[in-house]
Amino acid sequence: MPPRRPVLHFFLRPSCAVLPLLLAACSTQGPATVHRGEAQVAPMTSGEIAQSDLNRMATLGMRDNLDSLYRLLDKLYRRNPAEWRKTGSASREAAIQGVRSAIENRTPWPELQGKRDIAALSLALSPEFRGDRVAAFVVASADMLITAHNGKTTFYLLDGLDAQHIYNAARNVESAVWLLATRRNAAGQPLLLADEISERERNLSFEREFGKIVGRLDLLSGVLTEKYRRAVITYVQNLAGASFLQFLPVR
């Protein structure tokens, strides 16, 4: 009978002990880290000294909401190129710049016939409107948002905001999105091409961007409401706790 070979057992036994350790090490490794950008910090300005936390929040919210409208402007022009050509602009970029300039300088948009705020928004979403509907819709939406913020885009200590007006603006955006998706022109076509759900594509980027605007407005409205409630609660707490916060003689 040939002699047994212990060498095989020598290699097998350590392998059995190491294998669970290797499996455990593999199981503890999480998915690969994916870099999706970083939180952006706006450069500090001297004007921030005259801003409360709420003023700063409202200012950043307005900035982000206008940026969302500019992104929607670009996306709507891309999906509806016939609209920007109605302006006579040399390019889509030139048309975008014209709309941005009108919003930032609060310049009335000629095709809105002197209407502002929700009256302008209603005109921009009417089936009978024949002008550049993308520009009219974005300009009217921006004007409505700014009007809800007392006609301002930057806020300081002496500025006040009405929580109900901000809340109403959020509902107006929701209504405008619904009208944009459901209304048809005389030919039975959508007023503007935006989101698309089909067998070959699912594009809901417009809805997501509008949702960001609504979310920011609702958050600001809630914080404004909480601000006044907390002021009342703090006042009552100070009255109730005044007798307990006095120094007492020790001799």
Side-chain angles (χ1 to χ4, degrees), residues 58 62 65 117-118 121 141-152 155 159-174 213-214 216-225 228:
M62 176 58 77
N65 283 337
D117 194 11
I118 56 176
L121 197 54
S141 297
D143 191 67
M144 184 271 296
L145 292 181
I146 296 173
T147 300
H149 290 74
N150 289 338
K152 298 180 179 180
F155 307 93
D159 295 326
L161 291 172
D162 190 303
Q164 188 63 46
H165 291 168
I166 306 300
Y167 176 88
N168 292 346
R171 307 289 77 78
N172 288 343
V173 173
E174 290 177 336
I213 297 175
V214 172
R216 295 185 196 108
L217 292 172
D218 278 337
L219 177 59
L220 178 59
S221 174
V223 171
L224 286 169
T225 304
Y228 297 115

Side-chain angles (χ1 to χ4, degrees), residues 49-121:
I49 298 175
Q51 289 181 321
S52 65
D53 291 345
L54 185 57
N55 295 149
R56 188 62 182 161
M57 175 184 175
T59 299
L60 294 177
M62 176 58 77
R63 179 203 68 185
D64 291 345
N65 283 337
L66 291 179
D67 284 345
S68 286
L69 286 178
Y70 296 148
R71 280 191 289 273
L72 287 165
L73 172 66
D74 182 40
K75 292 166 69 66
L76 285 169
Y77 269 156
R78 289 176 183 273
R79 290 221 66 193
N80 305 270
E83 298 301 315
W84 68 260
R85 293 192 177 99
K86 295 177 182 178
T87 65
S89 299
S91 64
R92 177 174 51 83
E93 291 76 13
I96 290 174
Q97 185 55 45
V99 175
R100 290 186 61 131
S101 177
I103 293 173
E104 292 167 4
N105 296 314
R106 302 302 308 278
T107 304
W109 194 253
E111 293 180 335
L112 291 174
Q113 305 170 14
K115 299 182 183 297
R116 306 296 293 258
D117 194 11
I118 56 176
L121 197 54

Side-chain angles (χ1 to χ4, degrees), residues 26 31 50-51 56 64 71-72 94 114-115 125 127-128 133 156 159 165 178 180 182 195 197-198 223 245:
C26 293
Q51 289 181 321
R56 188 62 182 161
D64 291 345
R71 280 191 289 273
L72 287 165
K115 299 182 183 297
L125 291 173
E128 298 77 20
R133 194 184 298 275
Y156 299 99
D159 295 326
H165 291 168
W178 185 83
L180 196 64
T182 58
D195 287 327
I197 301 178
S198 63
V223 171
L245 298 177

